[in-house]
Amino acid sequence: MSDVLLAKKWEDEDPTGWWMSGKLDGVRALWRNGEFSSRGDNAFVCPDWFRKKMPAGCILDGEIWGGRGQFQKTVGIVKSSSRGPEWEFLTYMVFDCLQEGGANIENKSFEARMEAARRLCGVGGADAALMIVPMEPCRGKEHLAETLAEVEKRGGEGLMLRCPGSKYQHGRSKSLLKVKTFHDEEAIVVGHEGGSGRVAGMCGALLCETPDKRRFKVGSGLSDAQRRDPPGVNTVITYRYQELTAANIPRFPTLVGERTDLTWAQICATYEPPGPKKALALRKKHTILFDEVSTSA
């Protein structure tokens, strides 16, 4: 399994000076030895004409992207041998470089690695097959919040923060942080619950389990077609949720799609379970928004 750099969640650290970029809802892929491969070392079915547009003698880290909201279609394209023409709608978005000219550059600073990526990838354009992910320095938490709101307004997933001067670290690292209002995780389907009302006779919810054996239901996000023919038992899915309950159960989980580029064992190998929730004591006095604003004329 390719031990790529994986992000941790942003936990209110000062982002000043960190490199900020949009979080893409694409398929993570390494470009090396003339082919694209997943984190699980599975080769994607890439047509020759697309492959010839990639640089030689390097290892790039990025995502194969089909645009916002096109994750499931993108997965289908890269996994199919019969959908080569549809690669024209995909772009390899590069956000790191591990090797240039046959030389390993993982221990160089992030800025130096991105300079190498720019040399390899060129300028690109709106219809290019290869592009560098745009980034800019974050000016602080207010700037981060404003940018996050703008990205989500446009339908984006969130933001990524990269530590300036950092080396490429394999596995999960605090040098790469993801900033999101909602969170995405993977789970495995262990059963199905029947529907009622409008969806009677169809699947009402997927019964799911996390790598650390927490169980919950995913009833939102399924299309009628998926309710008639839901993801089967042992299918790996990606779900989105707002927050965790006191028992660390996802609140308002919604199906994003099936995850076919990684096996359950591969996901479990890099999984980090949430820590225990800190119990808060009851108290009489609280703060509330606008509590100092007078309502009198």
Side-chain angles (χ1 to χ4, degrees):
M1 181 176 181
S2 294
D3 195 14
V4 297
L5 173 61
L6 299 173
K8 288 181 175 283
K9 293 177 183 177
W10 180 65
E11 297 179 335
D12 206 39
E13 296 95 337
D14 183 4
T16 304
W18 284 54
W19 292 99
M20 181 171 60
S21 63
K23 187 179 188 304
L24 304 176
D25 51 347
V27 177
R28 183 74 176 270
L30 287 176
W31 169 254
R32 61 182 173 189
N33 299 325
E35 68 177 11
F36 290 108
S37 59
S38 71
R39 282 167 46 196
D41 287 330
N42 300 312
F44 294 127
V45 186
C46 177
D48 288 340
W49 63 264
F50 193 96
R51 189 181 291 111
K52 289 176 180 177
K53 295 185 178 184
M54 299 299 116
C58 64
I59 298 178
L60 300 174
D61 193 358
E63 290 195 14
I64 302 172
W65 192 54
R68 294 189 181 105
Q70 301 295 337
F71 172 74
Q72 203 61 43
K73 289 182 180 179
T74 302
V75 170
I77 292 170
V78 302
K79 294 288 288 183
S80 174
S81 60
S82 63
R83 300 179 68 175
E86 293 179 78
W87 278 75
E88 69 171 297
F89 301 110
L90 305 182
T91 304
Y92 185 46
M93 304 293 292
V94 176
F95 47 64
D96 215 324
C97 180
L98 286 70
Q99 188 181 105
E100 181 187 22
N104 188 306
I105 59 172
E106 294 179 19
N107 287 328
K108 291 190 175 182
S109 69
F110 174 68
E111 293 79 3
R113 298 198 309 274
M114 288 308 293
E115 280 298 321
R118 278 185 277 273
R119 287 192 293 270
L120 291 163
C121 299
V123 177
D127 60 348
L130 179 68
M131 288 183 64
I132 298 292
V133 174
M135 302 181 190
E136 67 176 53
C138 183
R139 299 191 298 272
K141 290 183 180 179
E142 184 176 346
H143 184 207
L144 183 70
E146 291 172 352
T147 308
L148 178 62
E150 179 62 26
V151 165
E152 292 182 338
K153 181 181 177 181
R154 297 185 184 186
E157 277 207 341
L159 298 172
M160 301 299 295
L161 291 172
R162 289 169 172 79
C163 181
S166 58
K167 299 178 181 179
Y168 191 95
Q169 296 176 270
H170 294 271
R172 295 208 178 270
S173 169
K174 294 290 283 185
S175 67
L176 178 63
L177 304 176
K178 52 187 174 182
V179 186
K180 303 173 68 175
T181 302
F182 286 81
H183 307 288
D184 287 351
E185 296 284 355
E186 278 68 47
I188 192 167
V189 177
V190 296
H192 304 90
E193 182 178 88
S196 60
R198 189 187 71 81
V199 295
M202 296 189 283
C203 177
L206 304 175
L207 305 180
C208 300
E209 184 176 274
T210 64
D212 58 340
K213 306 300 182 183
R214 289 172 290 128
R215 291 199 171 191
F216 60 98
K217 300 175 184 178
V218 177
S220 298
L222 285 82
S223 66
D224 283 354
Q226 288 172 316
R227 292 188 186 280
R228 287 189 291 268
D229 184 21
V233 171
N234 293 326
T235 298
V236 179
I237 66 162
T238 297
Y239 65 95
R240 183 166 294 157
Y241 66 97
Q242 188 173 21
E243 61 183 351
L244 295 175
T245 67
N248 279 333
I249 300 301
R251 291 190 65 198
F252 312 120
T254 300
L255 177 68
V256 175
E258 296 183 29
R259 191 70 189 261
T260 58
D261 58 323
L262 290 174
T263 67
W264 185 237
Q266 290 165 344
I267 288 170
C268 291
T270 59
Y271 181 74
E272 291 188 354
K277 289 279 188 177
K278 183 179 180 181
L280 299 176
L282 290 171
R283 56 195 179 102
K284 185 66 177 176
K285 292 184 178 181
H286 307 276
T287 59
I288 189 170
L289 190 62
F290 308 134
D291 62 348
E292 294 181 359
V293 177
S294 173
T295 58
S296 59

